Structure formats: structure tokens, C-alpha cells
Amino acid sequence: MNLLPSFPPHAFDGRLEDVRRRLEAKLSRMRIRLHGKTPHAAPDGVYDDTALDWWTSGFWPGILWIMYGLTGDQAWRDEAWPWDERLETCFLAESDLHHDVGFQFLPTAVLKYKLTGDRDARRRGLFAAQFLAGRFNPKGKFIRAWNEPDESVGWSIVDSTMNLSLLYWAAEESGDPRFRHVADAHAGTIVEHFVRPDGSVRHICVFDPATGEWRGALGGQGFGPDSAWSRGTAWALYGLANVYRYTGDTRFLDASKRVAHFFISALEPDRVPLWDFRVVPRDGQPRDSSAAAIAASGLIELAALVPPAERPIYANAARDILLSLTDRYADWNPDRDGVLLAGTGHMPEKKNINVSLIYGDYYYVEAVAKLLGWPHRVF
Ligand code: GLY
């Protein structure tokens, strides 16, 4: 199920080779500068060094593995190799790992296993999948998001849709369908409670953890409970396309398409969204380039999954977003960290606004790699 037909290279207007060369030049320099760091945000062209258990810690190693896959150069592999073992230490001591272990172990352990066959990486991926499945609340049919005692016990967030690929991979790899049962049930909850009829998406849904009853929505990283956080929309678009790829259930394809239609129609004229599609007032609000990059990579999946007559809607949208990111938002200066400028991390908490974000960089690199014919899929 992982080998999707590669996207037609002409869809990127013959620019792909140039982008590949620029990425290699820039990321090679970052590889030397970032050695030993766990990068998350680069406010002034210098990536920070964040906690290993933070949800973003898998993205830099994911970039390293993708670059190894694209180039075959051992230097990328050597730098990427220790990361899943490093991340595993978070399971062996007190840490704040939560439902985002998918973001952390898919582009590290699972991708390493796919590329190298390393059995320890496989074991770590399966261990992370068991941890994720263990967060499932069978009454409410949702995966619990965070770890704070009391109030967040019944919270689930839309970002989780992307973590489901870890469960589907584990079901295939181990032959144990329980992983798939959990993923299917949670994905059903996403469609039922998170995706609104117009294709916009809620960030946080609150359930009664004892009875499973739906209690309402919270704004989370969005402008408010009724708004439309653009990165959350991108997580749903991409995640639901993946669920369809794994299940063949058209409920998920239809939901992904609905979210995609909302996302595409609500973009700014330069094809990059504001951090929330429904923020008011709109003037002066920052964009989020990471939402654009995630959506572009998801739209490439969607284009490969729909019948040929529907493909141009999604393929053209992905192309337009990537061209805009490449021409308007990419920082090709090799002396600075960060591929994409203008990411917004957490607007309500006023954290990491108008910066480079490692997940924006990852999904931009992933999308370009897909266009170059890179056959692997971890999300
Ligand atoms: N998963 C958290 C975020 O997208 O910011």
C-alpha cells in the first residue's frame, strides 16, 4: 500500500531539479550546524535546541532520512541513524510523550526500518505504536491527546489524524489487527466530531472520559472554538487521505476532499493561509507557511488517490502552493537555518510567530521528494 504512483514531474513546471539542488546545498550546511541539536523553531535564521520529548523531535531526522533516500549519500544516513535510539530514551525515563509519538517515530524508527531493515528501529516503531494504542478511550472512541491530569483526560485533538499512520503501519508489520481497530475507530470520531459540514475543522474536542459523551469544542491553537486553525485543517486533510489509503473506506476520502476544498478555497491570493482562516480582524495577521507545506504534501496524496478526472483539482493546488512557497517563502541562504520563512507555531500563546518551523521544513522537503518520485510513505 505504500507505493503510490509518483506525481508527474511536469506538474512543478520543470523546476524540480533546481529545487532539489538548492535543498541539498542548504540542508548540507544545516546538517553540520544542527549536529546534536533537536531543532524546532528558528526565529532569526538559527534553529533552537528544544526538549527531546517535544512533539517536533522527529522532523529533523526525517529530513535527514529523506535526503539519504534521495541522494544515497552516507553522510545523511550517519547523521540520521542514532535518532530513534535517542528518542527511545524518552520511554525509559519520566517524559511528556503523548499521542504525537506518530510524529516522532514515523520519520525516525519507521522510516529507518523501511530504508535499512534495521530490526531495532522496527522494535522501537512497534513499541511507540503500542503506547499510542494505549491512549485509546473505548467508550468515546478517541485517542487521548495530552498528559495533564484531570482536565485533558477527555481531550482529543485533530493533529492526531496524522499519528494514525503509526497504528496502520504496526497492524501491517505485526499482523495484529488491534492497531487497525483503534485507528479506524479514532478516524471515525475525527469525521463525526472534528470535521464540520463545510469542511472546516475543530482543533480540540472534549469528551467525558467516563461515558464517552461529546461535551463540545475548544479553540486550542485556533482563534476560537468556531474558527478554522489552518494547520489543524492541513493535518485533517492529509491524515484523512492516509486513512483512506490504508482502509479503502470512502468515508475518509470524502472527508479529506471536503477539508481540501475548504482549505483551497480559503487560501490567501499567494496560496498560503493565514494562521487561522476565520481570524478577525484579518489585517496584519501572520500567515502559516507550515500549514501550506503540510497541505501540499497531503494534496499530493489525495491527487494519487482520487479517480483521474478529479486529480487536477488537488494536483494543481499542490503545485501552486509549492511554487509560492519556493518563490516567496523559501530562504535559500546556506548560512541561515530554516527552509521556509513565515511559520506560525502557537498564535494564542504568542509563541513562534513568523519564524521557520522544523515541521514546515519537513513537509516541504517531503512534498518535493514525492514530486521527485521518492516512493516511501511514513505518514
Ligand atoms: N501538533 C501541534 C501543532 O501542530 O502545532
Side-chain angles (χ1 to χ4, degrees):
M1 283 297 276
N2 274 320
L3 296 177
L4 292 175
S6 62
F7 201 74
H10 66 264
F12 205 40
D13 292 349
R15 303 269 309 276
L16 269 178
E17 268 312 307
D18 177 50
V19 174
R20 192 191 60 73
R21 268 194 303 274
R22 285 169 178 238
L23 278 176
E24 204 175 333
K26 169 114 191 182
L27 293 168
S28 307
R29 296 279 293 278
M30 283 172 60
R31 188 183 70 216
I32 294 161
R33 283 196 300 273
L34 296 187
H35 179 75
K37 275 188 170 183
T38 308
H40 168 215
D44 297 307
V46 179
Y47 263 121
D48 60 4
D49 184 15
T50 199
L52 191 58
D53 62 354
W54 186 242
W55 73 278
T56 55
S57 53
F59 292 117
W60 173 241
I63 290 173
L64 296 169
W65 280 120
I66 292 175
M67 292 308 291
Y68 169 61
L70 286 180
T71 63
D73 180 343
Q74 291 293 315
W76 300 105
R77 184 183 192 271
D78 291 348
E79 194 66 23
W81 188 271
W83 271 93
D84 55 315
E85 193 174 351
R86 280 186 73 193
L87 286 174
E88 184 185 37
T89 62
C90 299
F91 280 126
L92 307 176
E94 193 170 335
S95 76
D96 194 28
L97 289 181
H98 48 56
H99 75 140
D100 279 338
V101 287
F103 284 124
Q104 292 164 293
F105 284 83
L106 283 165
T108 55
V110 175
L111 186 49
K112 178 181 183 180
Y113 173 58
K114 284 184 188 222
L115 294 178
T116 70
D118 183 67
R119 298 295 292 180
D120 284 327
R122 177 182 182 275
R123 173 179 57 73
R124 292 178 188 121
L126 288 173
F127 191 88
Q130 296 195 41
F131 175 85
L132 181 57
R135 303 182 71 85
F136 183 64
N137 181 316
K139 276 278 190 192
K141 297 188 172 47
F142 67 89
I143 293 173
R144 177 183 175 183
W146 299 311
N147 294 329
E148 288 77 15
D150 306 328
E151 66 167 0
S152 86
V153 177
W155 291 12
S156 193
I157 70 172
V158 74
D159 322 30
S160 60
T161 325
M162 289 295 283
N163 292 318
L164 296 180
S165 295
L166 182 64
L167 299 176
Y168 288 117
W169 169 79
E172 284 179 356
E173 192 57 38
S174 67
D176 187 337
R178 289 176 304 157
F179 293 109
R180 186 176 302 119
H181 299 329
V182 170
D184 288 352
H186 181 78
T189 299
I190 294 288
V191 173
E192 186 179 349
H193 291 296
F194 287 75
V195 181
R196 302 190 187 100
D198 66 358
S200 66
V201 167
R202 299 182 170 114
H203 183 200
I204 302 177
C205 282
V206 179
F207 300 87
D208 183 319
T211 66
E213 199 181 327
W214 191 74
R215 293 279 191 221
L218 300 173
Q221 280 168 258
F223 180 64
D226 301 320
S227 76
W229 177 45
S230 59
R231 192 163 60 250
T233 317
W235 293 139
L237 183 170
Y238 192 168
L240 288 166
N242 295 335
V243 175
Y244 171 67
R245 193 176 77 232
Y246 282 109
T247 62
D249 184 336
T250 53
R251 231 176 357 137
F252 302 117
L253 179 65
D254 290 343
S256 175
K257 284 165 59 177
R258 195 149 38 97
V259 176
H261 301 161
F262 176 83
F263 190 95
I264 294 166
S265 68
L267 287 170
E268 294 301 293
D270 68 359
R271 317 319 289 152
V272 172
L274 297 185
W275 68 277
D276 190 304
F277 290 115
R278 290 186 176 140
V279 61
V280 282
R282 299 174 68 79
D283 284 353
Q285 295 290 345
R287 283 171 168 61
D288 181 14
S289 61
S290 76
I294 295 157
S297 197
L299 286 163
I300 293 170
E301 294 306 309
L302 206 43
L305 293 169
V306 295
E310 294 181 32
R311 194 161 294 161
I313 300 173
Y314 310 105
N316 292 344
R319 176 201 60 200
D320 293 348
I321 292 170
L322 287 172
L323 283 173
S324 182
L325 290 176
T326 302
D327 290 339
R328 297 185 177 93
Y329 293 86
D331 178 355
W332 298 116
N333 181 345
D335 295 327
R336 291 168 52 88
D337 295 340
V339 177
L340 293 184
L341 301 166
T344 294
H346 198 314
M347 191 63 182
E349 287 186 1
K350 301 199 174 3
K351 284 189 188 144
N352 296 322
I353 298 161
N354 197 20
V355 298
S356 295
L357 295 164
I358 197 65
Y359 38 96
D361 288 359
Y362 172 86
Y363 286 103
Y364 177 78
V365 172
E366 185 193 76
V368 170
K370 287 177 183 177
L371 298 190
L372 285 163
W374 192 65
H376 302 285
R377 298 291 184 272
V378 283
F379 288 103

